[in-house]
């Protein structure tokens, strides 16, 4: 019996568990296995469904304001970074075609503790991402209803805290005679407080549309992968059609002069949009959680991830060029940039089309992440790190039923009452952390010859390439490196210091051990994007990991399947 917190689960053990029906720890047997219903087209569409969502309808505006037309370069840089990670995911998916995504991959490469950390990290990524998407969907849906002259009471479309804060702020500004500072959004939120049922500070204010969409999506995910697939495919076809229409119509209103200068704030201005642009890419990795529901996971999963990433990148670049070509980049610091630019050029009716697209886009993102999170819980439960109920598979629908219902509650209740806009960066840092571990995990896998019918990551010797790239990076970022040891609030520079330390370590290892180039580049580029995120995101992220470690050492370590004596010989 191994007592090590880094005990690893061999690939053969992982595959044997699934083959024997261990996917349902309470009802073992082939009848309890997940249904294999997905092909490469379905996976590609799921990837697009997960990626093209709230990010392209909101955060692209801020990124364009910072970087100007040159933000299209940032989409390419981010796509390349995600591409490195996608190839590493594909390598793992080919070798370990089971549910669990990065969690399962980490268990096979790094060991149990790191697997728990990445699983816990993914739960945060999916849960907070879903809550934010549900709230975002509610806003788009309410705006869409307004276009059809359907007016919902303000107190059923937002959270309690936002309404209370706006009420207090409006009273303060009114008392001070600063009526001009009261924004439309603030006025709506204050009216929600004023008209909500209740008395005093006890009022019923809740985001009911957010609750409704989570219930609908959870039901779809609960009743089966086929139903989820059909709904996803329909939404993606409609969404892509609308996005293409927006691009085509928008190009007729492009003024080329708006593309000059292309980099108004230099390359540093472009990089300020990293968080927003990366948020627009989050999601392509979620389809790796459906590996057990793929007809041919070794072949189709890699294709699905790469195809969806390429298609989304092309759409993003075109939309970025349309936005910055229709109006000046200086006008794009708005929450709804697509609707804004069409209203700016006199096409207000197009905003209704965009609202429909936004509603569909965010619903499809919610669908994919609601699909992914229960499968992470299911995989952790199989290994004994969570209670057995989480790996229970419905006998009729053949989905992780209990985990799906719990996921619905975890997302629906906070979406009903909370405003989580300040913590959405947690989604980005959580995703990047997962990418870093997946890329690092590939470096620990033994090199294998290509097998027909399976994806295999091409090996490129990094012995001399990485040191050269490191030296080039040190030259171009020399001012940032020197600034690490001067100025105030040096602790805020700690993430960047970690990036430099990691890069230097990998450079040495690449030279000595001739590491594979693609995962090295993926690891470094993802950690660089992590270092560019605000310091507060790191603090919150580390706090979440501490909570997870407490749960692991009080429950997971004691109940781990790999910790049982009969499984000691199965460790790698």
């Amino acid at each position: 019996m191994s007592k090590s917190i880094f005990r690893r689960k061999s690939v053969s053990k992982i595959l044997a568990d699934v083959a024997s029906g261990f996917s349902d720890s309470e009802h073992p047997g082939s009848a309890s296995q997940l249904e294999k219903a997905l092909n490469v087209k379905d996976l590609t569409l799921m990837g697009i469904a997960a990626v093209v969502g709230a990010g392209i309808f909101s955060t692209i505006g801020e990124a364009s304001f910072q970087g100007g037309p040159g933000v299209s370069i940032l989409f390419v840089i981010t796509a390349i970074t995600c591409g490195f990670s996608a190839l590493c995911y594909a390598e793992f998916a080919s070798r370990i075609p089971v549910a669990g995504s990065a969690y399962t991959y980490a268990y096979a490469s790094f060991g149990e503790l790191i697997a728990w950390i990445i699983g816990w990290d993914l739960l945060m990524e999916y849960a907070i991402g879903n809550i934010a998407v549900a709230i975002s969907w509610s806003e788009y849906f309410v705006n869409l209803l307004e276009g059809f002259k359907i007016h919902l009471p303000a107190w059923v479309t937002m959270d309690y805290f936002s309404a209370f804060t706006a009420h207090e702020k409006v009273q303060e500004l009114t008392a001070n005679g600063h009526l001009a500072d009261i924004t439309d959004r603030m006025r709506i939120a204050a009216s929600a407080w004023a008209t909500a049922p209740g008395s005093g500070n006890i009022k019923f204010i809740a985001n009911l549309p957010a609750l409704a969409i989570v219930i609908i999506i959870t039901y779809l995910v609960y009743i089966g992968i086929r139903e989820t697939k059909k709904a996803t495919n329909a939404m993606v076809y409609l969404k892509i059609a609308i996005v293409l229409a927006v691009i085509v119509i928008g190009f007729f209103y492009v003024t080329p002069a708006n593309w000059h200068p292309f980099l108004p704030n230099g390359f540093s201005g472009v990089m300020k949009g990293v968080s927003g642009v990366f948020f627009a890419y989050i999601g392509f990795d979620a389809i790796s959680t459906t590996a057990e529901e793929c007809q041919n996971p070794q072949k189709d999963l890699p294709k699905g991830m790469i195809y969806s990433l390429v298609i989304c990148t092309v759409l993003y670049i075109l939309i970025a060029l349309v936005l910055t070509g229709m109006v000046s980049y200086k006008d794009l610091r708005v929450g709804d940039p697509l609707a804004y630019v069409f209203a700016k050029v006199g096409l207000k009716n197009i905003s209704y089309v965009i609202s429909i697209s936004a509603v569909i886009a965010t619903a499809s993102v919610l669908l994919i992440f609601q699909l992914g999170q229960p499968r992470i819980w299911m995989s952790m439960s199989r290994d004994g790190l969570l209670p057995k109920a989480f790996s229970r598979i419905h006998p009729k629908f053949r989905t992780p039923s209990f985990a799906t219902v719990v996921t619905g509650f975890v997302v629906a209740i906070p979406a009903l009452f909370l405003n989580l806009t300040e913590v959405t960066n947690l989604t980005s840092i959580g995703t990047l952390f997962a990418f870093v571990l997946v890329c690092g995990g590939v470096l620990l896998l033994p090199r294998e010859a290509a097998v027909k019918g399976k994806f295999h990551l091409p090996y490129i010797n990094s012995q001399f390439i990485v040191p050269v790239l490191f030296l080039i990076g040190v030259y171009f970022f020399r001012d940032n490196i020197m600034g690490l040891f001067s100025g105030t609030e040096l602790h805020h520079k700690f993430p960047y210091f970690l990036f430099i330390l990691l890069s230097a370590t990998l450079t040495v290892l690449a030279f000595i051990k001739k590491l594979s180039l693609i995962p090295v580049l993926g690891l470094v580029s993802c950690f660089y994007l992590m270092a560019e995120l605000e310091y507060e995101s790191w603090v919150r992220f580390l706090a979440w990991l501490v909570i997870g470690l407490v749960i692991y050492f009080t429950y997971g370590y004691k109940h781990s399947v790999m910790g049982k004596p009969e499984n000691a010989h199965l460790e790698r």
Side-chain angles (χ1 to χ4, degrees):
M1 174 180 177
S2 173
K3 295 184 180 296
S4 172
I5 58 176
F6 296 105
R7 49 200 174 203
R8 288 188 287 179
K9 192 174 182 182
S10 67
V11 174
S12 58
K13 168 62 176 170
I14 294 172
L15 297 177
D17 284 347
V18 177
S20 64
F22 184 65
S23 54
D24 184 351
S25 58
E26 292 191 356
H27 304 285
S30 59
S32 67
Q33 293 179 346
L34 299 174
E35 182 179 7
K36 297 185 179 295
L38 304 176
N39 57 32
V40 66
K41 183 191 74 172
D42 301 320
L43 292 167
T44 302
L45 292 174
M46 280 187 169
I48 296 171
V51 174
V52 179
I56 197 63
F57 291 96
S58 57
T59 57
I60 190 176
E62 174 69 21
S64 298
F65 172 80
Q66 298 287 355
V71 74
S72 55
I73 297 176
L74 184 54
F75 277 111
V76 175
I77 293 173
T78 307
I80 293 172
T81 299
C82 291
F84 291 141
S85 301
L87 289 171
C88 292
Y89 265 97
E91 174 75 5
F92 267 120
S94 178
R95 295 197 191 196
I96 314 174
V98 300
S101 186
Y103 160 76
T104 303
Y105 307 156
Y107 214 145
S109 53
F110 290 108
E112 186 171 281
L113 179 63
I114 304 301
W116 168 269
I117 290 174
I118 195 63
W120 187 249
D121 164 66
L122 288 172
L123 295 183
M124 177 198 71
E125 173 196 339
Y126 288 1
I128 291 184
N130 280 356
I131 293 166
V133 170
I135 294 172
S136 176
W137 183 91
S138 176
E139 293 183 5
Y140 286 124
F141 181 69
V142 171
N143 290 338
L144 180 62
L145 293 181
E146 292 286 338
F148 290 102
K149 310 301 181 185
I150 300 174
H151 306 287
L152 294 178
W155 52 271
V156 301
T157 64
M158 67 181 61
D159 61 282
Y160 179 95
F161 180 74
S162 293
F164 175 75
T165 303
H167 167 72
E168 294 288 311
K169 190 66 176 177
V170 167
Q171 282 192 327
E172 177 188 339
L173 293 174
T174 302
N176 295 331
H178 297 156
L179 298 179
D181 294 334
I182 301 176
T183 64
D184 291 340
R185 191 176 184 84
M186 199 183 298
R187 191 174 290 107
I188 293 172
S191 71
W193 179 266
T195 58
S199 61
N201 287 339
I202 302 176
K203 293 177 178 288
F204 178 80
I205 302 174
N207 198 335
L208 295 185
L211 173 67
I213 190 60
V214 173
I215 291 174
I216 293 170
I217 294 297
T218 302
Y219 174 75
L220 270 176
V221 174
Y222 183 86
I223 63 174
I225 191 69
R226 288 187 184 276
E227 288 70 18
T228 302
K229 178 183 74 172
K230 292 175 184 177
T232 300
N233 291 357
M235 285 191 286
V236 171
Y237 284 134
L238 184 56
K239 177 167 61 176
I240 291 179
I242 293 175
V243 169
L244 289 175
V246 166
I247 292 171
V248 172
I249 295 171
F251 264 116
F252 285 102
Y253 292 85
V254 164
T255 302
N258 287 329
W259 288 334
H260 303 285
F262 195 70
L263 298 173
N265 299 315
F267 187 72
S268 60
V270 170
M271 294 308 294
K272 287 182 179 179
V274 162
S275 179
V277 169
F278 182 78
F279 184 77
Y281 275 99
I282 288 175
F284 75 88
D285 60 308
I287 64 174
S288 64
T289 65
T290 66
E292 286 175 44
E293 289 144 295
C294 298
Q295 296 169 359
N296 186 357
Q298 287 96 342
K299 185 177 180 181
D300 293 347
L301 261 178
K303 288 183 178 180
M305 279 189 276
I306 300 299
Y307 291 168
S308 60
L309 199 57
V310 171
I311 293 170
C312 291
T313 299
V314 172
L315 291 176
Y316 283 174
I317 292 173
L318 292 175
I319 287 179
L321 291 174
V322 166
L323 285 179
T324 54
M326 290 177 71
V327 301
S328 170
Y329 72 94
K330 299 176 183 178
D331 298 329
L332 287 173
R333 200 172 205 174
V334 293
D336 54 346
L338 292 184
Y340 171 80
V341 294
F342 281 98
K344 186 84 171 177
V345 298
L347 298 176
K348 293 184 178 180
N349 289 335
I350 299 295
S351 64
Y352 297 138
V353 177
I354 293 173
S355 294
I356 294 171
S357 179
V359 166
I360 296 170
T362 48
S364 64
V365 172
L366 188 63
L367 179 65
I368 298 304
F369 280 97
Q370 286 296 93
L371 178 72
Q373 185 169 335
R375 284 149 180 80
I376 302 290
W377 268 333
M378 178 186 71
S379 296
M380 296 174 77
S381 173
R382 290 176 181 173
D383 297 323
L385 305 184
L386 287 176
K388 291 182 178 180
F390 284 93
S391 58
R392 184 184 304 148
I393 293 178
H394 195 283
K396 177 182 177 182
F397 301 128
R398 296 166 71 181
T399 58
S401 52
F402 179 80
T404 299
V405 172
V406 172
T407 298
F409 279 107
V410 168
V411 175
I413 294 175
L416 192 63
F417 296 111
L418 299 180
N419 182 343
L420 296 178
T421 54
E422 293 184 3
V423 296
T424 51
N425 268 359
L426 278 174
T427 304
S428 293
I429 197 170
T431 304
L432 284 167
F433 183 67
F435 289 1
V436 165
L437 287 185
V438 168
C439 293
V442 168
L443 291 174
L444 297 181
L445 290 175
R447 294 177 193 166
E448 294 181 357
V451 178
K452 187 176 181 180
K454 292 177 63 175
F455 175 84
H456 189 68
L457 189 68
Y459 171 75
I460 303 173
N461 190 346
S462 65
Q463 184 177 28
F464 299 110
I465 299 176
V466 169
V468 169
L469 292 176
F470 179 76
L471 293 175
I472 293 173
V474 168
Y475 174 77
F476 280 103
F477 292 95
R478 59 188 183 278
D479 293 337
N480 290 352
I481 295 173
M482 295 303 297
L484 290 174
F485 308 99
S486 61
T488 58
E489 298 184 324
L490 293 180
H491 58 287
H492 281 210
K493 300 176 183 179
F494 183 67
Y496 201 84
F497 176 80
L498 284 180
F499 165 70
I500 299 299
L501 184 63
L502 175 68
S503 300
T505 302
L506 277 175
T507 299
V508 174
L509 291 175
F511 183 78
I512 296 174
K513 299 197 172 188
K514 302 178 181 180
L515 300 176
S516 179
L517 180 64
I518 292 175
V520 169
L521 293 180
L523 200 160
V524 172
S525 56
C526 288
F527 204 93
Y528 171 70
L529 294 184
M530 282 183 70
E532 288 288 339
L533 294 174
E534 60 183 20
Y535 177 75
E536 289 73 18
S537 295
W538 280 77
V539 173
R540 294 166 184 157
F541 174 63
L542 292 176
W544 174 258
L545 290 186
V546 169
I547 295 172
L549 289 175
V550 170
I551 295 175
Y552 170 73
F553 284 109
T554 55
Y555 181 89
Y557 177 77
K558 297 177 182 178
H559 295 85
S560 170
V561 171
M562 291 305 297
K564 295 179 180 179
E566 62 268 25
N567 289 325
H569 68 287
L570 295 173
E571 293 180 54
R572 193 183 60 172

